[in-house]
Amino acid sequence: MVNFNDSKITVENLNFYYGKVQALFDINMKISEKKVTALIGPSGCGKSTFLRMFNRMNDIIDGTHHTGSVLIDNRDIYKDGIDIVALRKKVGMVFQKSNPFPKSVFDNAAYGPRIHGVKDKANLYEIVEKSLKDAAIWNEVKDRLDENAMGLSGGQQQRLCIARALAVEPEILLMDEPASALDPKSTARIEDLIGTLKQKYTIIIVTHNMQQASRVSDYTAFFYEGKLIEYDYTDKIFRNPEIKQTEDYITGRFG
Amino acid sequence: MKKSISENSVFWAVRFITYSIVAIIGYIIFDIVIKGLPTINLEFITGFPRSSGSEGGILPAIVGTVYLVFGAILVSLPLGMASAIYLSEYAKQGRFTRMIRLAIVTLAGVPSIVFGLFGLGLFVIFLGFGASIISGSFTLAFMILPTIIVSSEEALQAVPKSNREGSLALGATEWQTIYKNVLPYALPGMFTGSILGVGRAAGETAPILLTVAAFFLPRLPSSIFDQVMALPYHLYILATQHPEAEKVLPLQYGTALVLLILVLIFNLAAIFLRSYFRKKYKW
């Protein structure tokens, strides 16, 4: 398994429960800065649950609890007194189903900056323009910033959601199957975008699509039934996995 | 495919029953409009009653009902919306919230005369408001509260979960999320719910009978601690308690028609508000 001296995120002995049902089992993992880490595995293996640990989105589900710790920049994000607002500002998220708010394109991208107190119009416009450019959607929407975002195509909606996440200047970007509902062309655009974004952001992406994992990621973690089975360089995982379960999965023998 | 005779007869039976409901409502409205319309003129609507209501207009009753309905909405809408927000967005679902919900459903089933007695005991006597607009408004407010809570909660639940998750994930607090990204989209549904409440508040007699309504008061109220006449109670008096019942029959129908029109106006206003918010926050 890979190990980094300078990891952005460190997960130690993490167990997670939905009520009495355990969803994650004793996970230890380090995630490298400004790289793309893919989480793969069959449905229900806990990869999305694991992803949602990093911005504490599991907190909003009643009856969940965990043991162990998750450290970002060497600070335990589950310790008492942690500012969840600041955490979620630092750790952005893009959801599986693109979820633009039923507002204008501009208001979508400006939502984050606004709640964090940016009021000045020119400043706001600057942030919106920059994040839409970073998400490679500016050229398509620059003339329709006032239109309702629900009128955009699926691929545009998802890139708008990425722009919305970038607008609060996160350091880490969590992506939960960001392209699973998109056509191949839109998917390719998102993948290109991920390649550009990793220069500035630490990206963790959950994906069902093995080719996608091998194309976009530097490291890949294979999950099965709530356990981290194998974690290594993506090349290594896909060319020469050490564990049989991993090999069976990536060669399509199950899952 | 040919339907069997029994199939056909069931179909016609349910259709007939459904249509007959419409017919009954149609007849009631038709009857009131036909018999009430000749009574309605400017004097009837803007004049004061004379000789214990057997002559003159019903302005004080119209004004009274309008005040009571506005008062009831003013009290119940914030309370109802706040409870709905708490139940839908903040409260952990469990034994305690089930108890709250049970209490709300029970409240909806309480007979209106019991609300009247409750209002009499609490607002009129204990809090010393006397028989007054404020007592009546509060009593009506509590009566329509369950309707508003239930429909507001449904409206909140109908807002997609992604609106909340997306907002929280950007670092918004729970209240920011509710205020900016949930509530605006739930407002149309909330107004729909209050439409039902308004209709009921305008038409109920029992709660106001004990807390506010005056038998005969030919002047307009000067403060919220005044008694007022109200349309449903006035109608009840004219129909059953009046010594010259025959003579005031046209007045009864006129009053009933005015009450119907008033409820219609309240509903139209609510529908207008709803479509305004629906257009503003399209989703």
Side-chain angles (χ1 to χ4, degrees):
Chain A
M1 289 220 179
V2 279
N3 218 333
F4 317 102
N5 293 326
D6 55 339
S7 60
K8 181 79 174 167
I9 304 174
T10 308
V11 179
E12 285 168 348
N13 307 324
L14 181 68
N15 291 285
F16 183 81
Y17 308 81
Y18 291 105
K20 287 186 180 122
V21 182
Q22 187 164 4
L24 296 174
F25 296 82
D26 194 37
I27 292 177
N28 288 281
M29 189 172 169
K30 289 187 172 187
I31 290 170
S32 182
E33 191 170 14
K34 292 183 184 170
K35 294 278 190 272
V36 179
T37 305
L39 311 178
I40 61 168
S43 297
C45 69
K47 56 193 190 300
S48 286
T49 302
F50 184 57
L51 187 77
R52 291 163 68 100
M53 293 302 293
F54 299 119
N55 62 346
R56 295 189 61 166
M57 280 305 272
N58 289 324
D59 286 18
I60 63 176
I61 303 166
D62 283 349
T64 58
H65 70 282
H66 77 284
T67 61
S69 55
V70 179
L71 286 82
I72 296 180
D73 294 331
N74 295 317
R75 288 185 63 196
D76 188 346
I77 59 167
Y78 281 91
K79 221 171 63 187
D80 288 344
I82 277 286
D83 181 357
I84 297 192
V85 167
L87 170 72
R88 289 181 180 152
K89 191 171 177 297
K90 184 168 163 174
V91 186
M93 185 163 204
V94 177
F95 294 83
Q96 177 176 7
K97 207 170 146 271
S98 62
N99 61 345
F101 304 140
K103 305 177 187 292
S104 73
V105 172
F106 185 89
D107 286 344
N108 263 280
Y111 188 90
R114 274 187 180 135
I115 57 171
H116 294 297
V118 180
K119 288 206 179 74
D120 177 55
K121 268 208 160 145
N123 193 359
L124 211 52
Y125 186 87
E126 209 173 288
I127 296 173
V128 166
E129 181 177 345
K130 184 174 183 307
S131 40
L132 289 172
K133 277 179 176 161
D134 284 350
I137 189 182
W138 172 252
N139 287 332
E140 290 155 71
V141 298
K142 65 179 179 216
D143 299 321
R144 42 200 293 211
L145 293 176
D146 293 330
E147 281 176 36
N148 196 312
M150 305 309 264
L152 300 177
S153 75
Q156 289 172 333
Q157 287 188 6
Q158 193 60 298
R159 274 177 286 141
L160 176 61
C161 290
I162 294 173
R164 192 176 68 191
L166 298 182
V168 295
E169 299 178 330
E171 293 169 23
I172 298 166
L173 204 54
L174 309 175
M175 303 180 119
D176 190 356
E177 301 190 41
S180 67
L182 302 179
D183 61 81
K185 210 176 150 201
S186 305
T187 302
R189 297 202 63 162
I190 301 271
E191 287 180 9
D192 287 348
L193 181 56
I194 292 170
T196 327
L197 291 175
K198 77 170 179 183
Q199 293 165 11
K200 281 162 73 181
Y201 306 94
T202 302
I203 295 175
I204 308 174
I205 178 172
V206 164
T207 178
H208 254 112
N209 181 329
M210 243 87 61
Q211 284 80 30
Q212 184 170 72
S214 67
R215 279 194 299 263
V216 303
S217 70
D218 303 296
Y219 302 95
T220 296
F222 171 62
F223 282 77
Y224 186 63
E225 293 184 339
K227 297 185 183 80
L228 176 59
I229 305 295
E230 189 166 355
Y231 176 41
D232 217 321
Y233 294 100
T234 298
D235 275 353
K236 175 96 173 25
I237 290 272
F238 282 91
R239 291 224 179 99
N240 187 20
E242 277 174 22
I243 295 167
K244 184 151 187 317
Q245 268 172 315
T246 316
E247 192 184 346
D248 287 350
Y249 182 71
I250 57 167
T251 53
R253 230 165 284 169
F254 80 97
Chain B
M1 200 179 74
K2 224 181 115 185
K3 281 182 186 163
S4 69
I5 293 175
S6 66
E7 181 88 357
N8 263 328
S9 50
V10 169
F11 172 69
W12 281 103
V14 290
R15 172 180 262 192
F16 175 76
I17 292 167
T18 312
Y19 285 4
S20 61
I21 293 169
V22 178
I24 291 167
I25 294 165
Y27 176 75
I28 293 174
I29 294 176
F30 181 76
D31 189 49
I32 291 174
V33 170
I34 289 296
K35 292 180 181 159
L37 215 48
T39 315
I40 293 188
N41 53 39
L42 200 64
E43 203 228 329
F44 185 67
I45 292 173
T46 60
F48 290 88
R50 293 189 304 272
S51 44
S52 46
S54 55
E55 283 169 45
I58 54 166
L59 180 67
I62 297 176
V63 171
T65 291
V66 170
Y67 280 179
L68 287 174
V69 168
F70 269 110
I73 287 292
L74 223 58
V75 175
S76 61
L77 209 55
L79 279 179
M81 280 167 68
S83 324
I85 289 171
Y86 173 73
L87 282 174
S88 159
E89 309 296 321
Y90 283 107
K92 279 204 168 134
Q93 308 304 319
R95 199 214 275 277
F96 184 62
T97 47
R98 275 206 300 280
M99 262 166 56
I100 297 179
R101 271 175 234 278
L102 186 67
I104 292 167
V105 173
T106 311
L107 206 59
V110 171
S112 56
I113 186 71
V114 177
F115 277 106
L117 278 171
F118 163 76
L120 176 70
L122 181 62
F123 304 117
V124 178
I125 298 168
F126 182 73
L127 293 175
F129 294 156
S132 61
I133 296 175
I134 187 167
S135 297
S137 294
F138 269 98
T139 308
L140 286 173
F142 285 118
M143 192 187 70
I144 62 176
L145 201 51
T147 319
I148 292 182
I149 296 175
V150 170
S151 56
S152 298
E153 205 189 336
E154 276 169 10
L156 287 167
Q157 292 291 326
V159 177
K161 220 176 81 183
S162 59
N163 272 33
R164 299 179 178 83
E165 283 196 331
S167 173
L168 290 172
L170 287 168
T173 61
E174 262 182 285
W175 174 243
Q176 283 174 327
T177 299
I178 292 166
Y179 180 73
K180 292 188 127 185
N181 227 19
V182 178
L183 207 51
Y185 306 104
L187 278 178
M190 290 177 154
F191 282 123
T192 316
S194 26
I195 290 175
L196 299 169
V198 168
R200 228 188 128 196
E204 274 290 349
T205 316
I208 56 170
L209 173 73
L210 298 170
T211 54
V212 52
F215 174 77
F216 180 71
L217 194 68
R219 60 180 173 83
L220 296 181
S222 55
S223 90
I224 53 167
F225 293 103
D226 266 2
Q227 260 194 300
V228 282
M229 294 176 78
L231 287 169
Y233 183 60
H234 187 60
L235 189 56
Y236 165 75
I237 296 293
L238 291 180
T240 64
Q241 308 290 305
H242 206 278
E244 296 168 283
E246 277 302 304
K247 193 183 156 196
V248 297
L249 196 64
L251 293 181
Q252 289 172 31
Y253 276 101
T255 308
L257 183 56
V258 169
L259 180 57
L260 271 183
I261 292 171
L262 207 62
V263 171
L264 194 70
I265 291 173
F266 279 128
N267 284 3
L268 283 177
I271 289 167
F272 174 77
L273 269 177
R274 181 179 62 180
S275 64
Y276 168 78
F277 279 107
R278 196 168 274 173
K279 238 178 247 147
K280 193 167 170 202
Y281 299 102
K282 213 166 149 194
W283 55 285

